[in-house]
Amino acid sequence: GVLKEPSALTLDATGRAWVWFDDGVAFYDNGSWKQFQSPVVAPVPPESISLDARGWLWMGSFDRGVAVFNGSAWSSYSKGTQSLSSDKVEELTTDSLGRVWVATSYGLSVFDGSQWQTYRMDNSDLMDSRVTFVSVERDGPFLLPPIDKPKASIIGWLGFENGDPLAQKRIEICAEQPVLENFGSTPCNGQPFHV
């Protein structure tokens, strides 16, 4: 009976199934589906969905950040709103305290119910800023506040295998791995860190 093909599923505290369908969410109740179309998320399948302790549905997208549905209204968080350090969400989950944990291609962002905090290599003890998955149990771990670390530098040279230098070429450094195929601007354009 779902009007559109669902692409993700999660269960709420009562065991009721919530599904993501193209551009919104739906749940099955009293013999029919109740659907809620999202005005803040483009019609792309989410990377992951999770219900928090309040029953709010959180969805992380491939390149548009996070959307949340509180049962009646939608809102979104992204790099543009300065909530996340990357709009590419790898995975998200919630803990029993209501915190939302978002693994992105440029850090781990945690929402405590009122504000976001992002952890990366430059402000925490993470071993890599690319976080590909996240899983928490019950209340989740205690998090230390971000720390200021000394700035670093990169020294090196680019050349051919025979030792000749690569001269008169533009070099771009970015935090996220470039895609294999590129059309239009450079693969680093628009990434969280780009030099």
Side-chain angles (χ1 to χ4, degrees):
V2 177
L3 296 179
K4 299 178 182 179
E5 184 177 331
S7 58
L9 165 81
T10 191
L11 301 176
D12 64 20
T14 66
R16 179 173 56 187
W18 286 79
V19 296
W20 174 267
F21 67 96
D22 190 31
D23 61 353
V25 294
F27 68 84
Y28 194 73
D29 190 37
N30 293 325
S32 65
W33 287 95
K34 185 164 185 176
Q35 299 186 356
F36 305 91
Q37 188 172 5
S38 169
V40 298
V41 178
V44 294
E47 292 298 297
S48 57
I49 62 176
S50 183
L51 284 155
D52 70 13
R54 299 171 290 193
W56 292 15
L57 185 63
W58 293 81
M59 291 150 285
S61 69
F62 176 75
D63 62 356
R64 291 179 177 90
V66 172
V68 61
F69 180 65
N70 68 7
S72 61
W74 290 88
S75 57
S76 64
Y77 300 97
S78 67
K79 183 173 65 171
T81 63
Q82 299 180 348
S83 304
L84 307 173
S85 59
S86 174
D87 288 336
K88 185 174 182 344
V89 175
E90 303 286 346
E91 188 173 15
L92 64 76
T93 191
T94 55
D95 65 25
S96 58
L97 298 177
R99 292 182 296 180
V100 181
W101 301 73
V102 182
T104 78
S105 59
Y106 193 53
L108 172 68
S109 296
V110 181
F111 184 65
D112 66 6
S114 62
Q115 64 181 8
W116 287 93
Q117 186 63 60
T118 296
Y119 298 86
R120 295 180 309 271
M121 289 174 65
D122 64 301
N123 69 0
S124 73
D125 289 333
L126 280 182
M127 295 178 66
D128 195 335
S129 289
R130 181 181 174 101
V131 182
T132 56
F133 63 90
V134 62
S135 179
V136 295
E137 185 180 27
R138 297 187 193 101
D139 293 350
F142 171 76
L143 293 174
L144 295 170
I147 56 176
D148 287 327
K149 288 186 173 181
K151 302 300 179 201
S153 62
I154 296 175
I155 299 174
W157 67 275
L158 294 173
F160 296 99
E161 287 184 35
N162 65 6
D164 291 342
L166 184 64
Q168 304 297 319
K169 300 293 181 189
R170 178 184 171 101
I171 306 297
E172 294 194 34
I173 300 173
C174 49
E176 297 186 53
Q177 179 178 355
V179 294
L180 295 177
E181 294 182 22
N182 181 56
F183 303 98
S185 20
T186 71
C188 291
N189 190 43
Q191 293 196 18
F193 176 81
H194 177 199
V195 175

